[in-house]
mmCIF file of all heavy atoms in Angstrom:
data_model
loop_
_atom_site.group_PDB
_atom_site.id
_atom_site.type_symbol
_atom_site.label_atom_id
_atom_site.label_comp_id
_atom_site.label_asym_id
_atom_site.label_seq_id
_atom_site.Cartn_x
_atom_site.Cartn_y
_atom_site.Cartn_z
ATOM 1 N N HIS A 118 -44.163 13.251 22.454
ATOM 2 C CA HIS A 118 -44.856 12.478 23.484
ATOM 3 C C HIS A 118 -44.839 11.014 23.075
ATOM 4 O O HIS A 118 -45.199 10.665 21.950
ATOM 5 C CB HIS A 118 -46.299 12.944 23.648
ATOM 6 C CG HIS A 118 -47.063 12.151 24.660
ATOM 7 N ND1 HIS A 118 -46.841 12.267 26.020
ATOM 8 C CD2 HIS A 118 -48.027 11.196 24.509
ATOM 9 C CE1 HIS A 118 -47.650 11.440 26.660
ATOM 10 N NE2 HIS A 118 -48.367 10.768 25.774
ATOM 11 N N PHE A 119 -44.404 10.167 23.986
ATOM 12 C CA PHE A 119 -44.284 8.742 23.686
ATOM 13 C C PHE A 119 -45.425 7.975 24.364
ATOM 14 O O PHE A 119 -45.644 8.079 25.565
ATOM 15 C CB PHE A 119 -42.934 8.210 24.172
ATOM 16 C CG PHE A 119 -41.766 8.903 23.528
ATOM 17 C CD1 PHE A 119 -41.192 10.018 24.111
ATOM 18 C CD2 PHE A 119 -41.266 8.452 22.311
ATOM 19 C CE1 PHE A 119 -40.127 10.685 23.513
ATOM 20 C CE2 PHE A 119 -40.205 9.105 21.702
ATOM 21 C CZ PHE A 119 -39.639 10.224 22.304
ATOM 22 N N VAL A 120 -46.142 7.218 23.559
ATOM 23 C CA VAL A 120 -47.257 6.412 24.055
ATOM 24 C C VAL A 120 -46.811 4.956 24.131
ATOM 25 O O VAL A 120 -46.256 4.415 23.170
ATOM 26 C CB VAL A 120 -48.477 6.526 23.119
ATOM 27 C CG1 VAL A 120 -49.598 5.590 23.582
ATOM 28 C CG2 VAL A 120 -48.969 7.965 23.062
ATOM 29 N N SER A 121 -47.031 4.335 25.258
ATOM 30 C CA SER A 121 -46.708 2.918 25.424
ATOM 31 C C SER A 121 -47.798 2.068 24.787
ATOM 32 O O SER A 121 -48.958 2.135 25.198
ATOM 33 C CB SER A 121 -46.580 2.571 26.915
ATOM 34 O OG SER A 121 -46.617 1.165 27.103
ATOM 35 N N GLY A 122 -47.417 1.275 23.781
ATOM 36 C CA GLY A 122 -48.389 0.403 23.132
ATOM 37 C C GLY A 122 -48.984 -0.611 24.082
ATOM 38 O O GLY A 122 -50.165 -0.975 23.969
ATOM 39 N N GLU A 123 -48.186 -1.057 25.053
ATOM 40 C CA GLU A 123 -48.671 -2.025 26.025
ATOM 41 C C GLU A 123 -49.703 -1.390 26.961
ATOM 42 O O GLU A 123 -50.767 -1.951 27.226
ATOM 43 C CB GLU A 123 -47.506 -2.595 26.850
ATOM 44 C CG GLU A 123 -46.619 -3.574 26.104
ATOM 45 C CD GLU A 123 -45.594 -2.894 25.205
ATOM 46 O OE1 GLU A 123 -45.396 -1.657 25.338
ATOM 47 O OE2 GLU A 123 -44.985 -3.578 24.357
ATOM 48 N N ARG A 124 -49.391 -0.182 27.458
ATOM 49 C CA ARG A 124 -50.321 0.489 28.373
ATOM 50 C C ARG A 124 -51.567 0.980 27.642
ATOM 51 O O ARG A 124 -52.639 1.114 28.243
ATOM 52 C CB ARG A 124 -49.616 1.652 29.084
ATOM 53 C CG ARG A 124 -48.597 1.186 30.124
ATOM 54 C CD ARG A 124 -48.217 2.300 31.077
ATOM 55 N NE ARG A 124 -47.401 3.319 30.448
ATOM 56 C CZ ARG A 124 -46.075 3.286 30.382
ATOM 57 N NH1 ARG A 124 -45.410 2.264 30.891
ATOM 58 N NH2 ARG A 124 -45.411 4.261 29.791
ATOM 59 N N LEU A 125 -51.427 1.238 26.353
ATOM 60 C CA LEU A 125 -52.569 1.673 25.562
ATOM 61 C C LEU A 125 -53.635 0.579 25.500
ATOM 62 O O LEU A 125 -54.825 0.857 25.395
ATOM 63 C CB LEU A 125 -52.119 2.038 24.146
ATOM 64 C CG LEU A 125 -53.153 2.686 23.226
ATOM 65 C CD1 LEU A 125 -53.655 3.999 23.821
ATOM 66 C CD2 LEU A 125 -52.568 2.916 21.846
ATOM 67 N N ILE A 126 -53.196 -0.677 25.600
ATOM 68 C CA ILE A 126 -54.133 -1.806 25.582
ATOM 69 C C ILE A 126 -54.804 -1.989 26.938
ATOM 70 O O ILE A 126 -56.020 -2.153 27.027
ATOM 71 C CB ILE A 126 -53.401 -3.107 25.185
ATOM 72 C CG1 ILE A 126 -52.899 -3.014 23.739
ATOM 73 C CG2 ILE A 126 -54.333 -4.322 25.348
ATOM 74 C CD1 ILE A 126 -52.047 -4.194 23.309
ATOM 75 N N VAL A 127 -54.014 -1.954 28.006
ATOM 76 C CA VAL A 127 -54.571 -2.234 29.333
ATOM 77 C C VAL A 127 -55.218 -1.015 29.987
ATOM 78 O O VAL A 127 -56.097 -1.134 30.840
ATOM 79 C CB VAL A 127 -53.481 -2.815 30.275
ATOM 80 C CG1 VAL A 127 -52.954 -4.126 29.718
ATOM 81 C CG2 VAL A 127 -52.338 -1.824 30.473
ATOM 82 N N ASP A 128 -54.769 0.191 29.593
ATOM 83 C CA ASP A 128 -55.331 1.413 30.167
ATOM 84 C C ASP A 128 -55.425 2.495 29.097
ATOM 85 O O ASP A 128 -54.718 3.507 29.142
ATOM 86 C CB ASP A 128 -54.450 1.899 31.329
ATOM 87 C CG ASP A 128 -55.007 3.152 32.006
ATOM 88 O OD1 ASP A 128 -56.219 3.423 31.862
ATOM 89 O OD2 ASP A 128 -54.212 3.874 32.663
ATOM 90 N N PRO A 129 -56.307 2.292 28.097
ATOM 91 C CA PRO A 129 -56.404 3.256 26.998
ATOM 92 C C PRO A 129 -56.789 4.656 27.467
ATOM 93 O O PRO A 129 -56.283 5.645 26.942
ATOM 94 C CB PRO A 129 -57.475 2.650 26.088
ATOM 95 C CG PRO A 129 -58.267 1.734 26.967
ATOM 96 C CD PRO A 129 -57.275 1.178 27.942
ATOM 97 N N ALA A 130 -57.673 4.737 28.445
ATOM 98 C CA ALA A 130 -58.104 6.050 28.937
ATOM 99 C C ALA A 130 -56.938 6.795 29.586
ATOM 100 O O ALA A 130 -56.792 8.012 29.428
ATOM 101 C CB ALA A 130 -59.249 5.888 29.927
ATOM 102 N N GLY A 131 -56.115 6.061 30.335
ATOM 103 C CA GLY A 131 -54.964 6.673 30.989
ATOM 104 C C GLY A 131 -53.973 7.230 29.982
ATOM 105 O O GLY A 131 -53.450 8.341 30.144
#
Side-chain angles (χ1 to χ4, degrees):
H118 178 72
F119 300 91
V120 175
S121 165
E123 286 81 13
R124 288 197 289 271
L125 188 60
I126 295 174
V127 299
D128 182 20

